[in-house]
Every structure is written in C-alpha cells, then in structure tokens.
Amino acid sequence: MILLKSHREGTGKRNPAKLTLCAVILCAFGLPGGQQAWAQPDRGLFTDVRELPDGPVGERIEELIDVINSNDRERVRTFINETFNERFRDFAPMDRHLSVFASVYERSQGYDFFGIRMYESPEFSTRHVVILRNRLTQGWAQVSVDIEATPPYRIAGLRFSPARAPKEAKPAQSMSDQQIVKKLKEYVSRMADAGVFSGTVLLAKDGTVLYQAAFGLASKQYDVPNKIDTKFNLGSMNKMFTGVAIAQLAQRGKLSLDDPLSKYLSTDWLPREITDRIKIMHLLTHTSGLGSYFNATFMESSRAMFRDLDDYRPLITDETLAFEPGTSWRYSNTGIFLLGVVIEKVTGQSYFDYVRRNIYEPAGMINSDCYDMDRPVPNLAMGYSKDENGWINNIFKHVIRGGPAGGGFSTVEDLLRFDQALRDHKLLNPEYTEMVWSAKPEISSPDYGFGFSVDREGDERIVGHSGGFSGINSNLDMFLDSGYTAAVMSNHDHGAQPIQHEIRRLLAARE
C-alpha cells in the first residue's frame, strides 16, 4: 500500500513538518513494517457500482485516473497544484508526491476503471473507494480518495492499496500444483521483464520446493545478477525471530509473558510510570502504545551511530504512550526493539548472538544474520529505489546493522528452513508454536500474534510477516492448513507485494 494523507489517523500527535519521510508508507512496504501501521481494514460487505458518481466528484475521480495513466511528470505536478488542498499538498515535498504517482504507474502501466465500492459501514462521507484493474498484473487495486464536500472539491488524501476482487469477477478455475507453478512462472517473468520485480521467489509444499527462481541484479553498479541464495534485506521480518526468541525464553521459564517491562528495563530507557504498565505480551503484539524510533532524530543522524542495541537509547527515551497498553493496536518498532533489550538482560548475551545460536543455527539458516553494512558481505543484494533521474541505492538510508525490529538479511531458502523448523517444533514446542502465530484479540490484537501477522483467506490460515523500506520488499507466507510456503524477496520498492498477492490468488484456486 502507498499512502498519502493530510490528516493524522489514530491516537497521539505528530508534527507535520517532521513527516516528510513518512508521507509515503510502503506496504511490504515505508519504514520497516510501516505497512502494518496503516493496513487497510476489511470493512465487510460491499457493493460495486459500475459508474462514476455524477457531478464534480465523478469528474475529479476520472481526472485522477487519467493523470495516473498519463505517466507525465509535469501533468501530475499541475494536477497536484490545482486539485490537492493546501494541507495535503504541503504535507510532503512535491518530489515526494511525484514519486508516488510515478511508482503507482510503474507497478501497473496504468489502470482501468471498474467501479465505486460502497461499504455497508463507510469510514466517512467524503471518502470514495475506486476499484481499478491493474493493466500489468491484471490484479485488482483500489484508491481511496478523500474529496472535500464543498466547491472546489479539492483532494484531501489518497490511499493506494490492493483490493478484494469484485463479486462478479470470474472465479478462478481449479488448478493442480503443476498448473499453479506454470502460471506463477509466467507472472513473475512478466513482472521482471517490466522492471517491477528484482529478487527471488520460492514456493514449496510440505517442505518440498515446487518453484524457485531469481531475477534482476544484486548490484546495478557492477552488473551482478541475483541468485537463489542471494541475501536480501528482511525489513520487518526480523520481528518473527524476535517473537520466537521471547517465546523460547518463556517456554524455558526464563521470563513470563505477563512480566512488566520494568522488570528488565532500566529507567534510562523509559520511566517506570511507562514500563510498569507494559507487559511483555504487549510488546509482542503491538499493543504497548509505544511508537517508532525511526523518528526525525534518527533520520537526521549518521547511521554509524546505531549498531548495538544500547546505541538506540537516545531515540527511545522521550517516547510516550498513545494509549493504555492492551486497549488498542499500533504498529510499534520501538516495542519489538525493546524485546531485544529484554533478551539481552535475561540471557546475558547480545541479541545477535542469541538469535544466531537459538534460531538460525537450529533451523539451518546458513545465510541469515544482521550484518554490519560497512563491512564486505558476500552475495548480498543492494536495495534500489527509482526517482525521476533513475535508480538510487539505499545504502545511506538504511540502518548500518539490523536488529530486533528489522533490517537483517536472509534468503528464500533460509526462510523455508525457518518455516519448516517451526512446523517441526525444532524451535518451540507445539504449545508455544501455536501461541506465537495465533492472534490475540483479547488484548486488542485481532490480526497479529507474537511477532507474526495472522491472516485468513477462506478456510486457510496464513501466518508470517512482510518487510519494507526504500529498496526493500520481502514477505513470508506460511499456509498452515494446506502446507504451502511462499517466500518472496526483492531489492526493489514494492517488488515482492504483487508476487505475494498472485501466489495467494493462485493457491486459492488449487484443486
């Protein structure tokens, strides 16, 4: 999902002047894990009206689609200046707005209008949900457009995200695994040929690989191709490893999930009035009320300042609670990061050593770690984004070393090994395995377990995690009922997301 908003959603306050780097939230994709914080809600029953609204609202929507499809930078600039309200237009620099439109076009090659989606419980009267057909992928997308209710009907916000298929869309025919692989191979090749995808894909059933392939370049500077064992940045997918690590310590009786954070965290991190109220389980489920240490101070600082967990302390000490822990949900990089501090306190080891010895090694994950990016790492992909001047790498944007909340590296093969180690209970016993990948609605986390996203498509339960940042987009889907595993890793913005959605669509049509 890509989001541009001129108003704040959720609780707490932000300074718009400090949000320019957060104006684009990537679904797999923004700051590590940012897609979860702004996940598009499933608002239940809907009807698709196949015509544009009459009057200025319909005209505005039609103009928006036409401008997107033009892929004309100057035309987009004029459209933004003339149709965005002042608050939305000034929320981010013009170049940021322009890059969003360019990215939307690149990943679609244009859209065809399908209809206006009407929900039984609309969010608010000025939001119009437009359903579009992606010309490149033939998938379904939606753009939620906030249009002012009075003349001159300016645009106050845009949200681009995947959409559920229209009800009248032709249902997919049942397919065998062989047919699914054939369709997937064709799809991924098309995305790679269009320059949308660079990375690796793996689809397995019961641990046996059905399809794996690598596309694109690990280094555009040196023309080095990606290979199936190329290491890609995980983004927020490290949260799964942190969740498993905490569950291991709970299983061994080293800590309790009901323990207050104050038991493990000194007051030079956060005051007791905050840590006394937060339990370990709140940190695991993003229900702590804490926010993200990827703040303005981090963005304005040298990445070399942040390598060990203790180095991040100055970024966290001023955090406050957006709500009482356990009463609401907000994606929190800080919350998961602090679990790493807990692990170090309980074990007397560095977070990195603990995860390496207790997760990577038992699972056989030979190409996974939080590498120091100022040292040579063999067979590692550089991340790339695109602007009006071409490709740019992310080496000066990302962390110098990943950690509990994200930023490590892995391969699709290692992600399958992690999947199998969990299913075979090599990392956790059956009770704790089920615990980490089960949602926790009782503490306001209906779609997230302990470091794992929890989803359901029909009768299939899907757990895993995505990750994204500039030049990073990766995802692991573990289909618990059917035994499939899908891992997609990309060193392009948004590269993994369309592949992930296509795999889900194809597997939903299996025999």
Short mmCIF file of all heavy atoms in Angstrom, two decimals, residues 134 148 173 192-193 199 205 356 391 461:
data_model
loop_
_atom_site.label_atom_id
_atom_site.label_comp_id
_atom_site.label_asym_id
_atom_site.label_seq_id
_atom_site.Cartn_x
_atom_site.Cartn_y
_atom_site.Cartn_z
N ASN A 134 -5.46 -3.41 -12.66
CA ASN A 134 -4.06 -3.17 -12.98
C ASN A 134 -3.76 -3.76 -14.37
O ASN A 134 -3.93 -4.95 -14.60
CB ASN A 134 -3.19 -3.82 -11.91
CG ASN A 134 -1.73 -3.54 -12.06
OD1 ASN A 134 -1.15 -3.74 -13.12
ND2 ASN A 134 -1.09 -3.10 -10.98
N GLU A 148 -13.12 16.92 -0.79
CA GLU A 148 -13.86 17.88 0.02
C GLU A 148 -15.31 17.96 -0.45
O GLU A 148 -15.60 17.84 -1.65
CB GLU A 148 -13.20 19.26 -0.04
CG GLU A 148 -11.83 19.28 0.62
CD GLU A 148 -11.14 20.62 0.48
OE1 GLU A 148 -11.56 21.42 -0.38
OE2 GLU A 148 -10.19 20.88 1.25
N GLN A 173 -10.41 -20.97 -12.13
CA GLN A 173 -10.63 -22.40 -12.30
C GLN A 173 -9.69 -23.17 -11.38
O GLN A 173 -8.59 -22.72 -11.08
CB GLN A 173 -10.37 -22.80 -13.76
CG GLN A 173 -11.33 -22.15 -14.75
CD GLN A 173 -11.02 -22.55 -16.18
OE1 GLN A 173 -9.94 -23.03 -16.48
NE2 GLN A 173 -11.98 -22.34 -17.06
N ALA A 192 9.23 -9.21 -13.90
CA ALA A 192 10.67 -8.95 -14.03
C ALA A 192 10.97 -8.24 -15.34
O ALA A 192 11.77 -7.30 -15.39
CB ALA A 192 11.44 -10.25 -13.93
N ASP A 193 10.33 -8.67 -16.42
CA ASP A 193 10.55 -8.04 -17.72
C ASP A 193 10.10 -6.58 -17.72
O ASP A 193 10.67 -5.75 -18.42
CB ASP A 193 9.79 -8.81 -18.81
CG ASP A 193 10.39 -10.18 -19.10
OD1 ASP A 193 11.55 -10.40 -18.69
OD2 ASP A 193 9.70 -11.01 -19.70
N GLY A 199 14.62 -9.94 -7.70
CA GLY A 199 14.73 -10.69 -6.45
C GLY A 199 14.57 -12.17 -6.65
O GLY A 199 14.87 -12.71 -7.74
N LYS A 205 5.67 -27.01 -1.04
CA LYS A 205 4.54 -27.72 -0.45
C LYS A 205 5.10 -28.79 0.47
O LYS A 205 5.87 -29.66 0.05
CB LYS A 205 3.68 -28.36 -1.54
CG LYS A 205 2.57 -29.29 -1.02
CD LYS A 205 1.47 -28.50 -0.33
CE LYS A 205 0.38 -29.41 0.22
NZ LYS A 205 -0.30 -30.22 -0.81
N ARG A 356 21.32 -15.98 16.66
CA ARG A 356 22.15 -16.82 15.79
C ARG A 356 22.22 -18.25 16.33
O ARG A 356 22.08 -19.23 15.58
CB ARG A 356 23.55 -16.21 15.70
CG ARG A 356 24.44 -16.85 14.65
CD ARG A 356 25.81 -16.18 14.61
NE ARG A 356 25.70 -14.75 14.34
CZ ARG A 356 26.08 -13.80 15.21
NH1 ARG A 356 26.57 -14.15 16.41
NH2 ARG A 356 25.97 -12.53 14.90
N TRP A 391 17.79 5.05 -11.04
CA TRP A 391 17.93 4.22 -9.85
C TRP A 391 18.86 4.86 -8.83
O TRP A 391 19.87 5.46 -9.19
CB TRP A 391 18.48 2.84 -10.23
CG TRP A 391 17.54 2.02 -11.04
CD1 TRP A 391 17.62 1.76 -12.38
CD2 TRP A 391 16.38 1.35 -10.58
NE1 TRP A 391 16.58 0.97 -12.78
CE2 TRP A 391 15.79 0.70 -11.70
CE3 TRP A 391 15.76 1.24 -9.34
CZ2 TRP A 391 14.63 -0.05 -11.59
CZ3 TRP A 391 14.60 0.49 -9.23
CH2 TRP A 391 14.04 -0.15 -10.35
N ARG A 461 -5.55 -20.57 7.02
CA ARG A 461 -4.88 -19.64 7.93
C ARG A 461 -3.47 -19.39 7.42
O ARG A 461 -2.72 -20.34 7.15
CB ARG A 461 -4.85 -20.20 9.35
CG ARG A 461 -4.31 -19.21 10.38
CD ARG A 461 -4.77 -19.56 11.79
NE ARG A 461 -4.32 -20.85 12.23
CZ ARG A 461 -3.62 -21.08 13.36
NH1 ARG A 461 -3.31 -20.07 14.14
NH2 ARG A 461 -3.28 -22.28 13.70
#
